[in-house]
Amino acid sequence: LEQILVDMDPEPVKANARGYVTQRQEGLKRGQKIEDVALGDMCIMIAPTLRPVQPSFDEEPVNVFAKGRELVEWKLEVGDEVETGDTIVTLKTPDGAIVEVTAPRDGVITAVLAGVKPGNNIEKLCSTVATNCTLAVVGRKLPPLLLREEGTNINAPRNVQFVEWKVRSGEPVK
């Protein structure tokens, strides 16, 4: 992985994962540092898929009650085949009970909520004011067209200055 994503001076930012550019730190002008326009040093995000975790017409969401729940473990990932009732993820309730979240139908996991790791509070990561959260989507059994690697944030090295973007949002990273 040597693809240059952002030309920075004196050192470019290179890809550390394959996938798609899902976000860039917009608003940078030539000569600025990331910290001039953002809190922290994250400058670009790469994810295994461009898909949001929203089901299409032939898919079903895997919804959970999010309030106060913590992710314990992903049991399956994007591209895995499932049968109705297979455990996709386990959560812990505020009182410590373990809850298995299961597939609502036979199919293939076509999307999962990116960036959710063991120990994360689901309610805080779900970006919703409602109490339900879509953690995954199950679609028909077809060969998946999604990459299987996890998404990643790429930080700019400290004290480098922005020169120009080498990729656009939505572009593949190889």
Side-chain angles (χ1 to χ4, degrees):
L1 293 169
E2 292 297 319
Q3 183 177 355
I4 295 175
L5 305 175
V6 188
D7 192 4
M8 303 290 267
D9 182 27
E11 171 182 2
V13 175
K14 295 181 180 179
N16 64 2
R18 288 177 171 77
Y20 294 90
V21 176
T22 57
Q23 285 187 313
R24 305 183 318 178
Q25 182 58 59
E26 300 296 345
L28 283 168
K29 293 181 175 65
R30 187 179 198 92
Q32 285 185 311
K33 297 176 183 174
I34 295 291
E35 53 264 24
D36 292 341
V37 297
L39 297 173
D41 54 4
M42 195 277 287
C43 68
I44 195 165
M45 291 177 72
I46 297 177
T49 177
L50 290 174
R51 288 194 50 180
V53 183
Q54 296 174 347
S56 65
F57 72 95
D58 64 344
E59 298 177 317
E60 282 192 50
V62 178
N63 291 324
V64 299
F65 181 74
K67 191 161 183 66
R69 297 198 176 190
E70 177 183 303
L71 186 121
V72 175
E73 179 183 12
W74 284 106
K75 299 287 188 176
L76 300 169
E77 60 186 46
V78 171
D80 288 344
E81 289 192 16
V82 295
E83 293 182 8
T84 302
D86 286 352
T87 300
I88 295 173
V89 63
T90 54
L91 305 176
K92 183 167 60 172
T93 66
D95 63 357
I98 300 299
V99 176
E100 292 185 341
V101 180
T102 61
R105 66 178 277 186
D106 292 353
V108 174
I109 298 175
T110 57
V112 297
L113 186 61
V116 182
K117 297 183 178 13
N120 287 159
N121 181 314
I122 300 299
E123 184 179 13
K124 289 181 182 174
L125 296 174
C126 223
S127 301
T128 181
V129 293
T131 54
N132 280 329
C133 175
T134 300
L135 286 182
V137 176
V138 177
R140 295 182 300 137
K141 284 189 181 182
L142 294 172
L145 299 175
L146 305 172
L147 301 172
R148 295 175 70 105
E149 291 88 11
E150 274 190 21
T152 187
N153 294 334
I154 301 174
N155 296 331
R158 290 273 178 213
N159 300 317
V160 296
Q161 295 181 338
F162 177 76
V163 177
E164 72 176 317
W165 290 107
K166 296 294 187 179
V167 293
R168 291 186 305 270
S169 290
E171 266 188 49
V173 175
K174 300 173 183 174

